[in-house]
Amino acid sequence: MRVAPLMQKMSVDPEDYPNWNRDRLINEIHKAVKKLYIGDHLEELVNDIISYYVDRDEEQHFEFYIDRYTEFLSDLLFVVPSADGILARSAAGWDMYAYSLDHYNEAIWDKDVPKRLKGAPHGCEFQYTKAMHFCKHFHMNEEEQVVADVFRHSFIEFVRIGDPSNEHEVWLEVGAGKDLRYLQITPKPLMKLGFYNESTSFWHEMRKYDFDMVQTLPTVKSTKGTKQEL
């Protein structure tokens, strides 16, 4: 699978899979947080993150630790920023429609990747919307065609009439409040409620440490005096 340079730095080589354990995951989390966080509560923040991404239902197996590392990065870089953007625009009066692509074709993954570590990678929508393949090519069978149709028909209708209509499922707006509706896109698409609520709530709670890790901005005004310079 071809990976962008930034993502390449954060990816895990299959040959390195067996070396992943609790200490390795904690070390990677600590390094990532230390690069972003600006404040006086680094250790408290890291401990809370470890509790959520490591201690929660922990399994003593390398697949678990790599899976949680992926979840940590995905939440921080993609999931929560998306949820925040949807909430902000919805509050501003925009008509918002959300989706989650929860389908992938087995052919895009190498055979040495365990089942638990497979999923729909970032950018794989392009295979269905533009016929661009960042991942390995696969045969467009009937199931894959449904996914492509949902994307293409919905996007076309949204541009044409402002409503992402398709022949497979009614795509509703996200609705009012924080419990967002979204379309789960699979060969059997389905409207669902609660767009990544748990991870979004967790990272919002972490703002208590005076810093928003998603937006990389302080959540409180500095109490330090302004430095005067000539």
Side-chain angles (χ1 to χ4, degrees):
M1 183 182 299
R2 290 174 290 178
V3 182
L6 175 62
M7 301 306 296
Q8 182 72 45
K9 294 179 181 179
M10 296 182 287
S11 63
V12 180
D13 191 315
E15 293 184 0
D16 194 34
Y17 285 171
N19 297 322
W20 275 75
N21 53 32
R22 177 184 175 88
D23 290 341
R24 175 74 174 273
L25 175 56
I26 290 175
N27 183 56
E28 293 296 333
I29 288 174
H30 198 283
K31 286 194 300 183
V33 174
K34 191 175 181 179
K35 287 181 180 179
L36 296 175
Y37 180 72
I38 300 174
D40 301 321
H41 307 282
L42 176 62
E43 291 308 316
E44 297 101 307
L45 172 60
V46 169
N47 287 338
D48 278 357
I49 294 173
I50 290 172
S51 178
Y52 184 74
Y53 288 99
V54 184
D55 296 339
R56 174 170 49 96
D57 302 323
E58 183 178 4
E59 301 172 21
Q60 302 290 330
H61 196 277
F62 75 83
E63 291 183 12
F64 169 85
Y65 297 111
I66 297 173
D67 188 40
R68 284 296 172 84
Y69 174 64
T70 303
E71 183 182 344
F72 164 70
L73 290 178
S74 296
D75 286 348
L76 192 57
L77 297 177
F78 303 112
V79 171
V80 183
S82 296
D84 284 349
I86 292 168
L87 289 168
R89 288 166 175 79
S90 181
W94 292 32
D95 294 332
M96 297 298 297
Y97 298 86
Y99 75 86
S100 176
L101 177 57
D102 295 330
H103 169 76
Y104 68 93
N105 189 294
E106 284 282 349
I108 70 173
W109 289 100
D110 293 333
K111 294 181 180 180
D112 57 355
V113 177
K115 178 71 175 179
R116 181 170 184 169
L117 302 182
K118 296 178 181 179
H122 177 60
C124 67
E125 292 94 333
F126 288 165
Q127 299 169 111
Y128 303 104
T129 59
K130 300 181 179 180
M132 292 175 60
H133 291 266
F134 292 152
C135 308
K136 293 182 179 179
H137 286 254
F138 56 81
H139 173 64
M140 187 64 74
N141 59 23
E142 186 174 339
E143 285 192 343
E144 302 297 340
Q145 191 60 54
V146 170
V147 176
D149 287 347
V150 170
F151 272 119
R152 294 173 184 177
H153 294 170
S154 298
F155 288 1
I156 289 171
E157 290 304 296
F158 182 77
V159 172
R160 193 173 70 88
I161 62 174
D163 180 13
S165 304
N166 63 81
E167 298 178 354
H168 300 279
E169 177 66 304
V170 177
W171 192 340
L172 302 174
E173 292 182 47
V174 295
K178 295 183 178 181
D179 209 17
L180 303 174
R181 293 184 300 217
Y182 67 99
L183 180 63
Q184 181 186 52
I185 298 182
T186 71
K188 296 181 180 180
L190 180 68
M191 283 300 304
K192 303 189 76 173
L193 188 65
F195 184 78
Y196 298 102
N197 281 359
E198 186 176 340
S199 52
T200 301
S201 295
F202 170 78
W203 284 105
H204 286 179
E205 183 185 351
M206 292 304 98
R207 293 171 179 170
K208 66 186 179 183
Y209 294 121
D210 303 336
F211 192 79
D212 188 328
M213 286 288 293
V214 175
Q215 297 189 38
T216 61
L217 290 171
T219 57
V220 295
K221 291 184 178 180
S222 174
T223 57
K224 298 179 181 179
T226 303
K227 183 179 179 180
Q228 299 294 324
E229 295 185 1
L230 294 176

